[in-house]
Amino acid sequence: MKKQVLATAAGLVLAGACANAGAVTLNPKGLGQVLLFPYYTVNKGQDTLLSVVNVSDVGKAVHVRFHEGYNGRVVMDFLVFLSPHDVWTAGVTTASDSATGGALLVSSDRSCTLPQIPAGGIAFSSVTYSGASASDGGPQTIERTREGHVQIITDGDIRPDSPTARIVEHVQTGAPGAGAPADCSQLDSASVVADLVAPANTLAGSAGIVNVDEGTYFPYNAEAISDFTHVPLLTSLSVVDADDLRSANSDSADGGVPATVFVDGKPLTFTYARGIDAVSALFMADSIYNEVLLTQSLNAATDWILTFPTKRFYVDPGLEPEAPALPFGEAFQAPGEAAARGMHYLYDAEELYVSDPCGQVCGTPIMLPPLNMPYEVTSVAFHRGEEAAPTVSPVFGSRLLRTLAPTYPGWQTGWARLDFAYDEQQSLPGGTANGGSRTLFGLPVTGFMAYNIVNTQAQPGRLANYSGLFRHRSTASCLPSGVAPAPDGSCF
């Protein structure tokens, strides 16, 4: 009997594994077909460094897109051709010394790109949001390109021994760092498309935000999505946005796109009719959690970066004619906002609830107004209650700013929680799991906390900066569709 039970259990595990094979997944191992970098910035004298690694034995064609932070409009995009075992690196800096100038992409990397990146770099463009035909209601200045996020999608692996593979391969001299393609100008658009096959989950990436003058560095790994596509995505170099996050697909007979999500600490596979909903499901969070450090004696400062990587596909009428669409409740409009809300709870390091001026003395905590996060990338700057709210975030100098402070006096360190299951407008319906219709509650979000400490007493006349960056922790909740959200609700 015992052997029968074990055999049955093993069979169920294998059946579940097979059923989930090919589902779009946020890969905790860091490898995938799609990379999401939650934040780039050139504010406050900072540069952002990017590194993309092909760990496989075949080449790759990847589409790099930089999205500005207000509404995710594309401000720079191009193709990078990674040869086997190749690394592509680049930096984002300011196009001028002006604090209101735009961003500039620079790269000395030898990997082939289309178009080629000149030695002086390529300036980011405002064309997708400026002018009467492109305006989305947000700012139209080039300054809008100074901060945002980056998405890299593998259009396909390059067929070995194909014309494209031979062109992008690095000719080696035997000296480390000296290999380079013979002539990237030979790349032919028609050949590139013909030479692509379905990509493997073998792309990795990282970024770092560096301020040379201040001596700060904030490194992080890109979010990796695996099994995003089972076919090459690039079918024509003239088709715009044929390979964006809406392109998630599967080979299922019904055309549905499965996504594996952790709910209540357990993996659960949902199937959606649209690829963009499957990607959003990966990032759905009813709450996020992270720490806050404002210790005055350390001159400490804390920013939270909240990136909603799929938001534009639900709030931008230029991309979604029926905007707004769930999980977002408002369309992007003048003066450049699409409201998303979250309840905030701040605690000190010894369990005191400091969002309430009574602490825990008065019994039931008071309900504060929700925090509005109106941008595709919103920076939350924390400050002590006795201080005036900053006009730019203290760590990154972000202007996509919202501020939070405790109403309880004397708070300097602790942690915070943001709850996104604010109402039924912030939910993602339309998924099926366990044989029924299911709804995930909250918002699709990623990002991190970053803090900086300034030590003015390192040595006489010497200044020292210490910095740290930590990914947000999150929880997801789900109920059968049509049922109101509940703390103990479950889709299992």
Side-chain angles (χ1 to χ4, degrees), residues 339-360:
R341 298 177 176 86
M343 300 305 298
H344 51 94
Y345 303 87
L346 278 64
Y347 298 86
D348 74 357
E350 307 297 341
E351 81 177 51
L352 182 66
Y353 176 68
V354 296
S355 293
D356 185 338
C358 292
Q360 293 164 328

PDB file of all heavy atoms in Angstrom, residues 339-360:
ATOM      1  N   ALA A 339      -3.223  57.064 -12.033  1.00  0.00           N
ATOM      2  CA  ALA A 339      -3.175  56.747 -10.608  1.00  0.00           C
ATOM      3  C   ALA A 339      -3.237  55.243 -10.349  1.00  0.00           C
ATOM      4  O   ALA A 339      -3.999  54.513 -10.972  1.00  0.00           O
ATOM      5  CB  ALA A 339      -4.330  57.437  -9.878  1.00  0.00           C
ATOM      6  N   ALA A 340      -2.380  54.796  -9.449  1.00  0.00           N
ATOM      7  CA  ALA A 340      -2.440  53.457  -8.849  1.00  0.00           C
ATOM      8  C   ALA A 340      -2.213  53.674  -7.365  1.00  0.00           C
ATOM      9  O   ALA A 340      -1.388  54.505  -6.974  1.00  0.00           O
ATOM     10  CB  ALA A 340      -1.379  52.539  -9.438  1.00  0.00           C
ATOM     11  N   ARG A 341      -2.914  52.943  -6.536  1.00  0.00           N
ATOM     12  CA  ARG A 341      -2.920  53.279  -5.120  1.00  0.00           C
ATOM     13  C   ARG A 341      -2.507  52.105  -4.246  1.00  0.00           C
ATOM     14  O   ARG A 341      -2.699  50.945  -4.602  1.00  0.00           O
ATOM     15  CB  ARG A 341      -4.302  53.796  -4.705  1.00  0.00           C
ATOM     16  CG  ARG A 341      -4.714  55.085  -5.431  1.00  0.00           C
ATOM     17  CD  ARG A 341      -6.104  55.545  -5.079  1.00  0.00           C
ATOM     18  NE  ARG A 341      -6.405  56.820  -5.715  1.00  0.00           N
ATOM     19  CZ  ARG A 341      -6.890  56.960  -6.940  1.00  0.00           C
ATOM     20  NH1 ARG A 341      -7.126  55.872  -7.675  1.00  0.00           N
ATOM     21  NH2 ARG A 341      -7.131  58.138  -7.461  1.00  0.00           N
ATOM     22  N   GLY A 342      -1.946  52.457  -3.096  1.00  0.00           N
ATOM     23  CA  GLY A 342      -1.554  51.435  -2.133  1.00  0.00           C
ATOM     24  C   GLY A 342      -1.630  51.984  -0.720  1.00  0.00           C
ATOM     25  O   GLY A 342      -1.245  53.127  -0.469  1.00  0.00           O
ATOM     26  N   MET A 343      -2.131  51.174   0.183  1.00  0.00           N
ATOM     27  CA  MET A 343      -2.131  51.552   1.592  1.00  0.00           C
ATOM     28  C   MET A 343      -0.741  51.295   2.163  1.00  0.00           C
ATOM     29  O   MET A 343      -0.109  50.282   1.850  1.00  0.00           O
ATOM     30  CB  MET A 343      -3.174  50.755   2.356  1.00  0.00           C
ATOM     31  CG  MET A 343      -4.598  50.952   1.860  1.00  0.00           C
ATOM     32  SD  MET A 343      -5.125  52.687   1.834  1.00  0.00           S
ATOM     33  CE  MET A 343      -5.025  53.101   3.579  1.00  0.00           C
ATOM     34  N   HIS A 344      -0.269  52.206   3.003  1.00  0.00           N
ATOM     35  CA  HIS A 344       1.098  52.101   3.524  1.00  0.00           C
ATOM     36  C   HIS A 344       1.080  51.953   5.042  1.00  0.00           C
ATOM     37  O   HIS A 344       0.273  52.566   5.744  1.00  0.00           O
ATOM     38  CB  HIS A 344       1.927  53.321   3.126  1.00  0.00           C
ATOM     39  CG  HIS A 344       1.286  54.645   3.435  1.00  0.00           C
ATOM     40  ND1 HIS A 344       1.527  55.357   4.588  1.00  0.00           N
ATOM     41  CD2 HIS A 344       0.421  55.382   2.717  1.00  0.00           C
ATOM     42  CE1 HIS A 344       0.834  56.477   4.577  1.00  0.00           C
ATOM     43  NE2 HIS A 344       0.153  56.516   3.447  1.00  0.00           N
ATOM     44  N   TYR A 345       2.014  51.115   5.508  1.00  0.00           N
ATOM     45  CA  TYR A 345       2.131  50.816   6.929  1.00  0.00           C
ATOM     46  C   TYR A 345       3.610  50.872   7.285  1.00  0.00           C
ATOM     47  O   TYR A 345       4.415  50.117   6.730  1.00  0.00           O
ATOM     48  CB  TYR A 345       1.552  49.443   7.243  1.00  0.00           C
ATOM     49  CG  TYR A 345       0.107  49.294   6.821  1.00  0.00           C
ATOM     50  CD1 TYR A 345      -0.217  48.895   5.525  1.00  0.00           C
ATOM     51  CD2 TYR A 345      -0.926  49.572   7.699  1.00  0.00           C
ATOM     52  CE1 TYR A 345      -1.535  48.766   5.122  1.00  0.00           C
ATOM     53  CE2 TYR A 345      -2.258  49.451   7.307  1.00  0.00           C
ATOM     54  CZ  TYR A 345      -2.556  49.047   6.021  1.00  0.00           C
ATOM     55  OH  TYR A 345      -3.864  48.927   5.626  1.00  0.00           O
ATOM     56  N   LEU A 346       3.969  51.754   8.209  1.00  0.00           N
ATOM     57  CA  LEU A 346       5.354  51.939   8.616  1.00  0.00           C
ATOM     58  C   LEU A 346       5.530  51.465  10.057  1.00  0.00           C
ATOM     59  O   LEU A 346       4.694  51.765  10.923  1.00  0.00           O
ATOM     60  CB  LEU A 346       5.764  53.414   8.516  1.00  0.00           C
ATOM     61  CG  LEU A 346       6.186  53.954   7.145  1.00  0.00           C
ATOM     62  CD1 LEU A 346       5.019  53.899   6.161  1.00  0.00           C
ATOM     63  CD2 LEU A 346       6.701  55.380   7.260  1.00  0.00           C
ATOM     64  N   TYR A 347       6.636  50.753  10.302  1.00  0.00           N
ATOM     65  CA  TYR A 347       6.942  50.226  11.627  1.00  0.00           C
ATOM     66  C   TYR A 347       8.373  50.591  11.994  1.00  0.00           C
ATOM     67  O   TYR A 347       9.233  50.736  11.118  1.00  0.00           O
ATOM     68  CB  TYR A 347       6.797  48.700  11.653  1.00  0.00           C
ATOM     69  CG  TYR A 347       5.407  48.214  11.355  1.00  0.00           C
ATOM     70  CD1 TYR A 347       4.981  48.024  10.040  1.00  0.00           C
ATOM     71  CD2 TYR A 347       4.504  47.935  12.382  1.00  0.00           C
ATOM     72  CE1 TYR A 347       3.701  47.578   9.755  1.00  0.00           C
ATOM     73  CE2 TYR A 347       3.217  47.482  12.107  1.00  0.00           C
ATOM     74  CZ  TYR A 347       2.821  47.309  10.794  1.00  0.00           C
ATOM     75  OH  TYR A 347       1.556  46.866  10.510  1.00  0.00           O
ATOM     76  N   ASP A 348       8.617  50.714  13.297  1.00  0.00           N
ATOM     77  CA  ASP A 348      10.001  50.874  13.711  1.00  0.00           C
ATOM     78  C   ASP A 348      10.638  49.496  13.858  1.00  0.00           C
ATOM     79  O   ASP A 348      10.032  48.470  13.527  1.00  0.00           O
ATOM     80  CB  ASP A 348      10.112  51.713  14.985  1.00  0.00           C
ATOM     81  CG  ASP A 348       9.674  50.975  16.253  1.00  0.00           C
ATOM     82  OD1 ASP A 348       9.223  49.806  16.156  1.00  0.00           O
ATOM     83  OD2 ASP A 348       9.792  51.559  17.343  1.00  0.00           O
ATOM     84  N   ALA A 349      11.876  49.457  14.344  1.00  0.00           N
ATOM     85  CA  ALA A 349      12.599  48.185  14.442  1.00  0.00           C
ATOM     86  C   ALA A 349      12.171  47.350  15.633  1.00  0.00           C
ATOM     87  O   ALA A 349      12.657  46.223  15.799  1.00  0.00           O
ATOM     88  CB  ALA A 349      14.104  48.451  14.518  1.00  0.00           C
ATOM     89  N   GLU A 350      11.258  47.877  16.443  1.00  0.00           N
ATOM     90  CA  GLU A 350      10.818  47.153  17.641  1.00  0.00           C
ATOM     91  C   GLU A 350       9.307  46.987  17.679  1.00  0.00           C
ATOM     92  O   GLU A 350       8.676  47.118  18.711  1.00  0.00           O
ATOM     93  CB  GLU A 350      11.305  47.891  18.903  1.00  0.00           C
ATOM     94  CG  GLU A 350      12.790  48.183  18.935  1.00  0.00           C
ATOM     95  CD  GLU A 350      13.646  46.927  18.939  1.00  0.00           C
ATOM     96  OE1 GLU A 350      13.115  45.849  19.267  1.00  0.00           O
ATOM     97  OE2 GLU A 350      14.852  47.023  18.609  1.00  0.00           O
ATOM     98  N   GLU A 351       8.701  46.785  16.498  1.00  0.00           N
ATOM     99  CA  GLU A 351       7.298  46.430  16.270  1.00  0.00           C
ATOM    100  C   GLU A 351       6.303  47.574  16.429  1.00  0.00           C
ATOM    101  O   GLU A 351       5.106  47.390  16.241  1.00  0.00           O
ATOM    102  CB  GLU A 351       6.844  45.246  17.147  1.00  0.00           C
ATOM    103  CG  GLU A 351       6.455  45.565  18.585  1.00  0.00           C
ATOM    104  CD  GLU A 351       5.960  44.358  19.343  1.00  0.00           C
ATOM    105  OE1 GLU A 351       6.650  43.328  19.342  1.00  0.00           O
ATOM    106  OE2 GLU A 351       4.860  44.440  19.922  1.00  0.00           O
ATOM    107  N   LEU A 352       6.741  48.813  16.744  1.00  0.00           N
ATOM    108  CA  LEU A 352       5.816  49.929  16.911  1.00  0.00           C
ATOM    109  C   LEU A 352       5.300  50.393  15.552  1.00  0.00           C
ATOM    110  O   LEU A 352       6.074  50.643  14.627  1.00  0.00           O
ATOM    111  CB  LEU A 352       6.521  51.090  17.619  1.00  0.00           C
ATOM    112  CG  LEU A 352       5.653  52.320  17.907  1.00  0.00           C
ATOM    113  CD1 LEU A 352       4.570  51.976  18.924  1.00  0.00           C
ATOM    114  CD2 LEU A 352       6.512  53.478  18.416  1.00  0.00           C
ATOM    115  N   TYR A 353       3.986  50.516  15.444  1.00  0.00           N
ATOM    116  CA  TYR A 353       3.335  51.012  14.230  1.00  0.00           C
ATOM    117  C   TYR A 353       3.397  52.540  14.252  1.00  0.00           C
ATOM    118  O   TYR A 353       2.731  53.178  15.056  1.00  0.00           O
ATOM    119  CB  TYR A 353       1.894  50.518  14.174  1.00  0.00           C
ATOM    120  CG  TYR A 353       1.087  51.040  12.999  1.00  0.00           C
ATOM    121  CD1 TYR A 353       1.389  50.652  11.702  1.00  0.00           C
ATOM    122  CD2 TYR A 353       0.009  51.903  13.205  1.00  0.00           C
ATOM    123  CE1 TYR A 353       0.638  51.118  10.624  1.00  0.00           C
ATOM    124  CE2 TYR A 353      -0.742  52.372  12.130  1.00  0.00           C
ATOM    125  CZ  TYR A 353      -0.426  51.972  10.854  1.00  0.00           C
ATOM    126  OH  TYR A 353      -1.161  52.430   9.780  1.00  0.00           O
ATOM    127  N   VAL A 354       4.223  53.117  13.385  1.00  0.00           N
ATOM    128  CA  VAL A 354       4.505  54.547  13.481  1.00  0.00           C
ATOM    129  C   VAL A 354       3.743  55.383  12.449  1.00  0.00           C
ATOM    130  O   VAL A 354       3.964  56.596  12.351  1.00  0.00           O
ATOM    131  CB  VAL A 354       6.023  54.821  13.355  1.00  0.00           C
ATOM    132  CG1 VAL A 354       6.771  54.206  14.509  1.00  0.00           C
ATOM    133  CG2 VAL A 354       6.568  54.321  12.018  1.00  0.00           C
ATOM    134  N   SER A 355       2.858  54.768  11.671  1.00  0.00           N
ATOM    135  CA  SER A 355       1.995  55.539  10.785  1.00  0.00           C
ATOM    136  C   SER A 355       0.846  56.174  11.550  1.00  0.00           C
ATOM    137  O   SER A 355       0.114  56.997  11.008  1.00  0.00           O
ATOM    138  CB  SER A 355       1.439  54.654   9.661  1.00  0.00           C
ATOM    139  OG  SER A 355       2.474  54.240   8.804  1.00  0.00           O
ATOM    140  N   ASP A 356       0.668  55.781  12.790  1.00  0.00           N
ATOM    141  CA  ASP A 356      -0.394  56.269  13.659  1.00  0.00           C
ATOM    142  C   ASP A 356       0.252  57.116  14.758  1.00  0.00           C
ATOM    143  O   ASP A 356       1.171  56.657  15.436  1.00  0.00           O
ATOM    144  CB  ASP A 356      -1.127  55.075  14.270  1.00  0.00           C
ATOM    145  CG  ASP A 356      -2.346  55.481  15.096  1.00  0.00           C
ATOM    146  OD1 ASP A 356      -2.390  56.630  15.546  1.00  0.00           O
ATOM    147  OD2 ASP A 356      -3.218  54.633  15.291  1.00  0.00           O
ATOM    148  N   PRO A 357      -0.173  58.384  14.930  1.00  0.00           N
ATOM    149  CA  PRO A 357       0.446  59.218  15.969  1.00  0.00           C
ATOM    150  C   PRO A 357       0.302  58.652  17.366  1.00  0.00           C
ATOM    151  O   PRO A 357       1.056  59.010  18.262  1.00  0.00           O
ATOM    152  CB  PRO A 357      -0.286  60.560  15.837  1.00  0.00           C
ATOM    153  CG  PRO A 357      -1.551  60.248  15.116  1.00  0.00           C
ATOM    154  CD  PRO A 357      -1.223  59.105  14.198  1.00  0.00           C
ATOM    155  N   CYS A 358      -0.629  57.727  17.551  1.00  0.00           N
ATOM    156  CA  CYS A 358      -0.786  57.093  18.857  1.00  0.00           C
ATOM    157  C   CYS A 358       0.075  55.841  18.988  1.00  0.00           C
ATOM    158  O   CYS A 358       0.075  55.199  20.039  1.00  0.00           O
ATOM    159  CB  CYS A 358      -2.246  56.702  19.096  1.00  0.00           C
ATOM    160  SG  CYS A 358      -3.348  58.112  19.300  1.00  0.00           S
ATOM    161  N   GLY A 359       0.797  55.469  17.952  1.00  0.00           N
ATOM    162  CA  GLY A 359       1.513  54.202  18.000  1.00  0.00           C
ATOM    163  C   GLY A 359       0.512  53.077  18.121  1.00  0.00           C
ATOM    164  O   GLY A 359      -0.424  52.980  17.331  1.00  0.00           O
ATOM    165  N   GLN A 360       0.643  52.230  19.109  1.00  0.00           N
ATOM    166  CA  GLN A 360      -0.321  51.158  19.363  1.00  0.00           C
ATOM    167  C   GLN A 360      -1.098  51.395  20.646  1.00  0.00           C
ATOM    168  O   GLN A 360      -1.753  50.502  21.167  1.00  0.00           O
ATOM    169  CB  GLN A 360       0.426  49.817  19.419  1.00  0.00           C
ATOM    170  CG  GLN A 360       1.004  49.425  18.064  1.00  0.00           C
ATOM    171  CD  GLN A 360       2.045  48.325  18.167  1.00  0.00           C
ATOM    172  OE1 GLN A 360       2.753  48.232  19.149  1.00  0.00           O
ATOM    173  NE2 GLN A 360       2.156  47.507  17.129  1.00  0.00           N
TER     174      GLN A 360
END
